[in-house]
């Protein structure tokens, strides 16, 4: 059914959905759909041309192009050329030439007929996977798009990115091709998606929120895989902004071992730790405002407010264990026990907290919360559609038994948070959940999003927290926990 282009996109999407299971994908799925001669021919030609044309492409892009090429050729061999093909961009001449060479070489091994418009379609698909993309040759309007994306993430994180120009160039290389893929309905799988959502769920959610303006601007629907690629860029960039955890080593009579002790401490502690050194005579001239831990080499502790430990100059295993334990306690976890839900408690409304034992499924849970938000005039009429569209594009549950469905910020009128706690868990997308939380944050209040979502992730960070909240069955008890 549909046009040839629609058939191709449907086939590509289905086949690529198995791309993280390499043996199954290569040995089972491809032979079920494509003739073995076609698979062999495409693989041979890509092997010949990879070094010249595709060596800079990530492997997941190259695998996608391999499937796209097979699909287009197979459709041509069955249906012929489709006159309804739509071209969203015109690839540059170099990419046209690569597409023509691919078709020419493959047709010598697996005979099929093609026309100029078919070469143009393959060239467009090659461009959608960043072949031939040169950021300095892009239309200037992409500068505005990427700057808007960076400004939104900076507002969410309340920082200015270090190395902003480098990050911008990376995004200029990725975002235009991403938009083109989404416009065409093309799929690319990120094999790290599961790890990203598990290890950096808050940043993943913030990235989706920052990217959301692209949906209306370009008429696209974001998906988890594409968002996860951008999350990686932001994760790397944010690591450059992390304040260093300063550690001060104070030496006395064993100054001759300074270099040895310093190097041992540097190897022992995380890479973003800054290790400073001084002598006992110069200690009073050192500012301690940025020091998280003082390590004294066979010295008596000083009368200062900074945590201190004493080690021997030979740095034995006991000293190393003491340093690691103290660093974790006084630097990494410093103050964490005193942080609860500072933003959440200022936003939460007892009239939007619900305890239910009779919800049957995911749709009923969503409809219940959305209706409550609509009645309070917190969201717009298109909020419901936005929530369900997001659910179709990727999972919103997090490990431990909770789900955080959300909509595009332009469908929200007021800042709010709605919470539904179920007596019995319901199946979401990949697991059962017992707590459903909808965060509503309009674009104009984007700067509050980071703190609120971090509070929410802290609230349902593990299965024990989810079970604790579920067992309360009382808004009063729940609010008491939030406000303590």
């Amino acid at each position: 059914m549909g046009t040839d282009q629609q058939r191709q996109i449907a086939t590509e999407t289905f086949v690529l959905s198995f791309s993280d299971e390499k043996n199954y994908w290569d040995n089972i799925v491809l032979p079920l759909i494509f003739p073995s001669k076609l698979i062999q021919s495409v693989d041979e030609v890509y092997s010949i041309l990879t070094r010249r044309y595709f060596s800079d492409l990530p492997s997941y892009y190259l695998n996608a192009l391999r499937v796209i090429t097979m699909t287009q050729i197979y459709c041509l061999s069955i249906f012929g050329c489709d006159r309804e093909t739509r071209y969203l961009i015109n690839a540059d001449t170099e990419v046209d030439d690569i597409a023509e060479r691919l078709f020419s070489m493959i047709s010598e091994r697996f005979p099929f007929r093609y026309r100029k418009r078919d070469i143009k379609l393959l060239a467009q698909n090659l461009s959608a996977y960043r072949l031939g993309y040169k950021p300095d040759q892009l239309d200037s309007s992409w500068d505005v798009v990427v700057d808007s994306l960076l400004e939104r993430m900076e507002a969410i994180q309340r920082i200015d990115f270090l190395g902003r120009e480098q990050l911008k160039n990376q995004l200029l290389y990725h975002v235009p091709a991403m938009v083109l893929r989404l416009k065409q309905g093309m799929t690319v799988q990120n094999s790290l998606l599961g790890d990203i959502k598990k290890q950096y769920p808050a940043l993943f959610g913030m990235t989706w929120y920052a990217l959301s303006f692209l949906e209306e601007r370009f008429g696209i629907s974001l998906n988890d895989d594409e968002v996860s690629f951008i999350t990686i860029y932001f994760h790397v960039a944010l690591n450059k902004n992390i304040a260093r955890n300063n550690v001060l080593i104070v030496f006395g009579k064993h100054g001759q071992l300074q270099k040895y002790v310093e190097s041992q401490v540097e190897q022992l502690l995380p890479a973003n730790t800054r290790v400073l050194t001084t002598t006992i005579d110069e200690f009073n001239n050192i500012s301690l405002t940025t020091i998280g831990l003082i390590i004294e080499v066979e010295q008596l502790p000083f009368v200062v407010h900074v945590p201190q430990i004493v080690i021997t100059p030979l740095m034995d295993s006991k000293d190393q264990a003491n340093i690691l334990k103290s660093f974790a306690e006084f630097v990494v976890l410093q103050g964490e026990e005193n942080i609860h839900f500072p933003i959440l408690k200022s936003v939460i409304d007892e009239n939007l907290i619900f305890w239910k034992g009779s919800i049957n499924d995911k749709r009923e849970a969503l409809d219940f919360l959305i209706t409550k938000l609509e009645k309070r005039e917190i969201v717009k009429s298109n909020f419901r559609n936005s929530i369900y569209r997001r659910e179709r594009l990727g999972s919103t549950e997090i490990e431990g038994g909770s789900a955080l469905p959300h909509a595009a910020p332009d469908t929200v009128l007021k800042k709010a948070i709605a919470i539904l706690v179920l007596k019995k868990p319901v199946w979401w997308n990949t697991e059962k959940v017992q707590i459903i939380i909808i965060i509503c944050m309009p674009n104009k209040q984007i700067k509050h999003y980071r703190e609120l979502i971090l509070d929410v992730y802290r609230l349902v960070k593990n299965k024990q927290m989810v079970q604790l909240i579920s067992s309360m069955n009382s808004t009063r008890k729940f609010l008491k926990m939030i406000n303590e």
Side-chain angles (χ1 to χ4, degrees), residues 425-474:
V426 297
W427 186 258
W428 213 251
N429 293 315
T430 59
E431 61 179 275
K432 289 185 175 182
V433 305
Q434 201 159 1
I435 299 177
I436 300 97
I437 302 175
I438 296 181
I439 299 175
C440 300
M441 187 70 70
N443 271 318
K444 63 183 179 181
Q445 294 180 296
I446 192 172
K447 65 181 181 180
H448 301 299
Y449 185 75
R450 177 180 182 272
E451 284 78 7
L452 181 56
I453 198 170
L454 286 175
D455 271 7
V456 170
Y457 276 105
R458 193 178 293 116
L459 178 68
V460 291
K461 63 183 179 180
N462 53 43
K463 189 174 183 178
Q464 289 72 29
M465 283 294 291
V466 171
Q467 290 176 340
L468 172 65
I469 295 168
S470 302
S471 67
M472 291 178 180
N473 200 32
S474 163

Side-chain angles (χ1 to χ4, degrees), residues 148 182 242 263 299 373 385 422 429 451:
S148 297
L182 292 172
I242 295 175
S263 66
Q299 300 294 322
L373 291 166
N385 286 338
L422 304 177
N429 293 315
E451 284 78 7

Side-chain angles (χ1 to χ4, degrees), residues 293-326:
L293 178 67
I294 297 174
I295 299 174
E296 288 122 4
V297 183
E298 287 194 334
Q299 300 294 322
L300 293 175
F302 299 99
V303 184
V304 292
H305 67 282
V306 180
Q308 304 164 63
I309 59 169
V310 177
I311 65 169
T312 67
L314 296 179
M315 282 279 291
D316 60 21
S317 58
K318 184 178 179 181
D319 289 325
Q320 293 179 21
N322 194 15
I323 291 172
L324 284 173
K325 180 176 180 293
S326 300

Side-chain angles (χ1 to χ4, degrees), residues 184-218:
Q184 292 185 253
M186 299 167 72
T187 300
V188 58
Q189 299 262 317
N190 186 353
S191 60
L192 297 175
L193 174 61
D195 292 331
I196 291 168
K197 293 183 73 174
K198 183 176 181 180
Q199 295 179 37
Y200 313 109
L203 181 59
F204 179 83
M206 293 175 206
T207 302
W208 193 294
Y209 189 86
L211 285 165
S212 61
F213 78 103
L214 298 176
E215 294 192 314
E216 184 176 0
R217 181 161 187 157
F218 294 103

Side-chain angles (χ1 to χ4, degrees), residues 356-360 364 423:
K356 288 284 182 180
S358 58
I359 295 293
N360 295 312
E364 188 178 344
K423 187 174 182 179

